[in-house]
Amino acid sequence: MRDDTSDLSWDDWDELNDPRPDVSDFDAVVEEAISRRGFLGGVLAFGSGAAVMGTGSLLSTTSAEAATMSRFAFTPIGIQTDSTVHVPEGYSWKSVAKWGQPLFSDAPEFDHSTGGDVVSSARVFGENTDGMELFSVGKHQVIAVNHEYVNTKTNLPNNEGGVPTSADDVRKLQNLQGVTVMEVAEGDDGWDIVVDSPFNRRIDHNTPMRIAGPAAGHDMLKTSADPDGLLALGTMNNCGAGKTPWGTYLTCEENFNGYFGSTDDTLERTDGWKRYGVGLKGRYAYETFDPRYDLSQNPNEPNRFGYIVEIDPADPNSTPVKRTALGRFKHENAACVVAPNGQIVVYMGDDERGEFMYKFVSTGVYQPGGDTDNLLDEGSLYAAKFNADGTGEWVELTPEATGMDAIDITVHTRMAASAVGATTMDRPEWVAVNPIAAEGYCCLTNNKNRGVKPNAGGDDTSVNGPNPRETNNYGQIVRWFPANDDHATDAFRWDLYVMAGNPIVGEGAYKGSSNVNAGNLFNSPDGMMFDSSGLLWIQTDGNDSNEGEYEGMGNNQMLAGDPVTGEIVRFLTGPQGSEVTGVTWSSDRRTMFVGIQHPAAPFPDGEGKLARSTVIAVKRDDNGLVG
Ligand code: FEO
Ligand code: CA
Ligand code: CA
């Protein structure tokens, strides 16, 4: 019987396998941070309303001015601790797609006594809904949506401790992850899946994918089943997402390391495995029942994951493509923007304590209607370096700068970023780019190791400019302003849009910035997306105990932020136990689709039923615009 680690976060699971040494001296790092920039002192003053943001734009606005400038078309709601979803007065919500809901008429209705069998698991909406994007394909509305990981006790309800005990169990778990592409339509009863739509498709841990870009065909990507290193099977741990200007979906492989293990426990771990947390014991026992995940038989298989995968939602027969040029790490999401000269810029985060932020800039330029097949295969990869004085630089990861060859930079990108001294961050989650201003935002969700332990590569993680609090359990959102309003340039200025905190029970910097107040408390910002009007929607994946340092924060939630005034207000609360993650809009913006991941029972089907991750549709009762 395996230890029960099913309730651990991915970061805690990683550290269970690879404990990090305690190295830092608190007082010394705090002292250093204060003297270096005075920023932490500024943060301390946030609670009293002092102006300290890098641009001054946020805090130079008084609350009275902010109120008259408010752009929010709803009355903010209070916190909740119950088992359902809440939205503002004048809005309502409805379930659209739940784990196990048929995409095809040959799949049976969901069976709460079994969670579905292995055959049906490939024909239904998967588990743990996460990043998503809606595409208009002719008159059809097609949503591509990620299924990040599984909740084994819920998905295998008849297995002791949810532990897989057969190849069928493992295959069922594999089928419930990956990506769903589904057509949705609004009828008299609201939005629903269009069952049997020709667009409907499941992509899972066994779907063939073309490997493209610099690492395609390299020895590190060759396996016995694929001696050319050009065709991988599956995409996994699909977390956040992105959308290209040419209408394809980008799905991001995050905690891929946890799926591998070894049936030979004497196997020596390579440096590459250690840097990425690939260990000898997988999280879901795949290695026991599926030799592809057994490192002792297929040591290169992990090198085929940790990428961004491009999917054409309009063509259900298309082969997804792994774009290795965008680097290999725990990809959170992908924020795509076109630079003034037509180059494609993709901002990306590596979600692990003390890892980095990245940017890809294409060599070629995008021309609407032109050939985009190779645009994401050739370009430059950069890691972010934030200076304490409010400036920063995207440092290109070249052989000269890193001492690594070009392919190794692609496959072991973390090591390349460490080599150039990129800034260690408090777990970069989603990146979002403002559609009406030249600025990017990244959620730094939390990092209890800040100032306490190095990252997985041994890099020092003392407090620094955008990560100014040791033992940071609340998180913050950093934003940057590229020089010349051009996302393809190397130089930027930066500030903090918000530092989450608790002005009621917190001390000093842990009170949060001045745009955090008793009415909008939250912790651990994670999902984040701008709507087309330039409002910033922030989703949380944090501690929902509503106790101690989290008192007054309630369940995980979704807030709206005004990037100009800094005002942040609560729009939606999720059911107890859930993370709110993933948001997209119908083509007319009258519906907002929101993801509710891993709720606790009884959401959404009631007492005695299995809990089901669910995509909901949120509408205004007057059918007005929602964002
Ligand atoms: Fe899958 Fe970093 O959230
Ligand atoms: Ca996330
Ligand atoms: Ca998270």
Side-chain angles (χ1 to χ4, degrees):
M1 179 87 192
R2 289 173 171 246
D3 298 334
D4 184 359
T5 58
S6 57
D7 292 334
L8 289 182
S9 71
W10 282 98
D11 271 63
D12 285 337
W13 187 82
D14 278 332
E15 289 200 41
L16 188 72
N17 298 314
D18 286 307
R20 318 271 196 262
D22 295 3
V23 292
S24 295
D25 178 304
F26 280 176
D27 295 339
V29 288
V30 173
E31 194 61 38
E32 182 190 342
I34 293 171
S35 61
R36 193 169 52 220
R37 187 173 169 226
F39 186 77
L40 190 57
V43 173
L44 289 167
F46 263 26
S48 59
V52 292
M53 294 298 227
T55 61
S57 61
L58 199 164
L59 290 147
S60 60
T61 305
T62 67
S63 56
E65 284 169 342
T68 59
M69 291 160 61
S70 177
R71 298 175 53 202
F72 307 114
F74 58 88
T75 303
I77 64 172
I79 62 164
Q80 298 288 343
T81 57
D82 63 8
S83 297
T84 190
V85 171
H86 294 269
V87 291
E89 195 178 332
Y91 288 72
S92 56
W93 67 273
K94 167 193 183 292
S95 161
V96 179
K98 300 183 273 195
W99 161 46
Q101 189 168 328
L103 299 169
F104 303 96
S105 54
D106 59 10
E109 287 304 313
F110 186 70
D111 181 349
H112 280 273
S113 68
T114 64
D117 63 17
V118 62
V119 175
S120 67
S121 62
R123 307 289 283 168
V124 298
F125 189 74
E127 173 62 307
N128 269 10
T129 177
D130 208 316
M132 60 180 152
E133 295 277 1
L134 184 139
F135 300 85
S136 294
V137 185
K139 292 180 178 170
H140 305 273
Q141 302 208 39
V142 177
I143 293 178
V145 50
N146 291 344
H147 300 292
E148 187 182 23
Y149 60 103
V150 284
N151 304 296
T152 53
K153 289 178 188 167
T154 306
N155 306 135
L156 300 172
N158 299 317
N159 289 35
E160 188 180 349
V163 177
T165 57
S166 68
D168 272 0
D169 285 348
V170 164
R171 188 70 178 214
K172 175 178 163 181
L173 297 181
Q174 292 177 343
N175 288 345
L176 293 178
Q177 300 174 72
V179 175
T180 286
V181 181
M182 61 182 181
E183 183 176 355
V184 292
E186 189 174 25
D188 292 343
D189 297 325
W191 288 88
D192 267 312
I193 297 172
V194 179
V195 174
D196 291 330
S197 162
F199 295 104
N200 291 359
R201 180 181 190 185
R202 280 304 318 280
I203 293 165
D204 58 37
H205 287 192
N206 293 284
T207 304
M209 320 240 141
R210 185 165 69 84
I211 301 171
H218 190 274
D219 283 350
M220 284 188 284
L221 277 78
K222 293 177 180 171
T223 64
S224 53
D226 177 30
D228 296 330
L230 294 172
L231 195 70
L233 292 182
T235 181
M236 63 172 61
N237 214 272
N238 305 80
C239 186
K243 186 179 194 175
T244 64
W246 50 94
T248 57
Y249 183 64
L250 300 176
T251 185
C252 301
E253 299 179 342
E254 192 187 21
N255 294 297
F256 66 94
N257 59 306
Y259 296 76
F260 298 91
S262 174
T263 55
D264 172 4
D265 60 11
T266 66
L267 198 65
E268 193 77 22
R269 293 168 74 203
T270 66
D271 288 346
W273 292 352
K274 289 177 185 167
R275 185 69 172 90
Y276 285 83
V278 174
L280 300 187
K281 191 171 170 185
R283 210 160 176 177
Y284 305 127
Y286 279 20
E287 70 273 20
T288 310
F289 299 103
D290 185 345
R292 189 156 63 88
Y293 295 88
D294 182 352
L295 297 166
S296 69
Q297 298 187 55
N298 289 293
N300 281 347
E301 192 68 20
N303 293 338
R304 295 146 68 88
F305 295 91
Y307 297 107
I308 285 179
V309 181
E310 184 176 7
I311 294 169
D312 182 356
D315 180 1
N317 298 313
S318 58
T319 301
V321 184
K322 298 208 174 196
R323 299 293 183 186
T324 65
L326 277 60
R328 176 171 169 265
F329 43 88
K330 292 186 178 182
H331 278 286
E332 178 71 22
N333 85 325
C336 231
V337 61
V338 183
N341 72 352
Q343 285 178 295
I344 296 295
V345 177
V346 186
Y347 288 112
M348 307 169 283
D350 182 355
D351 179 10
E352 187 176 304
R353 294 170 188 146
E355 292 297 338
F356 310 112
M357 287 170 53
Y358 296 90
K359 177 174 88 161
F360 169 86
V361 180
S362 68
T363 303
V365 298
Y366 169 62
Q367 291 169 316
D371 184 2
T372 56
D373 281 358
N374 302 316
L375 260 186
L376 299 181
D377 288 340
E378 264 183 58
S380 303
L381 199 54
Y382 303 79
K385 195 180 263 188
F386 292 83
N387 302 317
D389 64 358
T391 64
E393 179 192 1
W394 292 99
V395 182
E396 188 171 356
L397 303 177
T398 62
E400 297 72 34
T402 62
M404 298 163 63
D405 72 42
I407 309 299
D408 210 23
I409 291 169
T410 300
V411 178
H412 294 115
T413 311
R414 282 183 165 182
M415 292 160 159
S418 287
V420 301
T423 301
T424 63
M425 308 298 286
D426 286 345
R427 297 188 51 202
E429 299 259 19
W430 289 40
V431 178
V433 174
N434 191 333
I436 59 173
E439 56 187 28
Y441 291 61
C442 182
C443 284
L444 304 169
T445 193
N446 57 56
N447 181 2
K448 68 181 185 183
N449 288 352
R450 172 65 61 187
V452 180
K453 297 176 179 178
N455 70 7
D459 298 320
D460 177 85
T461 66
S462 299
V463 293
N464 59 44
N467 308 277
R469 290 178 298 190
E470 66 191 26
T471 318
N472 174 20
N473 290 336
Y474 291 134
Q476 63 269 10
I477 297 176
V478 65
R479 65 179 169 180
W480 61 96
F481 311 89
N484 308 318
D485 291 346
D486 179 356
H487 286 285
T489 58
D490 297 350
F492 59 86
R493 289 181 300 108
W494 65 270
D495 69 14
L496 291 178
Y497 175 66
V498 64
M499 289 195 46
N502 195 325
I504 301 167
V505 302
E507 298 286 336
Y510 300 89
K511 288 181 180 295
S513 49
S514 66
N515 49 348
V516 170
N517 55 61
N520 67 4
L521 291 188
F522 64 97
N523 72 87
S524 305
D526 184 333
M528 184 168 58
M529 186 86 87
F530 275 97
D531 66 26
S532 55
S533 76
L535 271 188
L536 184 65
W537 296 84
I538 303 161
Q539 302 175 317
T540 72
D541 171 24
N543 185 310
D544 68 354
S545 65
N546 202 34
E547 293 175 354
E549 62 188 316
Y550 305 104
E551 184 184 329
M553 297 182 178
N555 292 348
N556 279 304
Q557 54 189 284
M558 182 164 169
L559 308 107
D562 184 329
V564 178
T565 66
E567 187 184 7
I568 296 173
V569 293
R570 187 179 297 113
F571 176 73
L572 175 152
T573 57
Q576 207 280 319
S578 72
E579 166 185 356
V580 179
T581 183
V583 56
T584 190
W585 286 266
S586 61
S587 55
D588 64 5
R589 286 174 51 208
R590 296 182 193 281
T591 302
M592 170 194 270
F593 298 95
V594 178
I596 304 295
Q597 190 191 84
H598 62 71
F603 188 83
D605 292 337
E607 294 295 340
K609 302 292 175 67
L610 294 175
R612 300 167 78 181
S613 297
T614 301
V615 170
I616 63 170
V618 178
K619 289 184 69 75
R620 279 173 62 145
D621 296 340
D622 64 3
N623 204 30
L625 301 181
V626 187

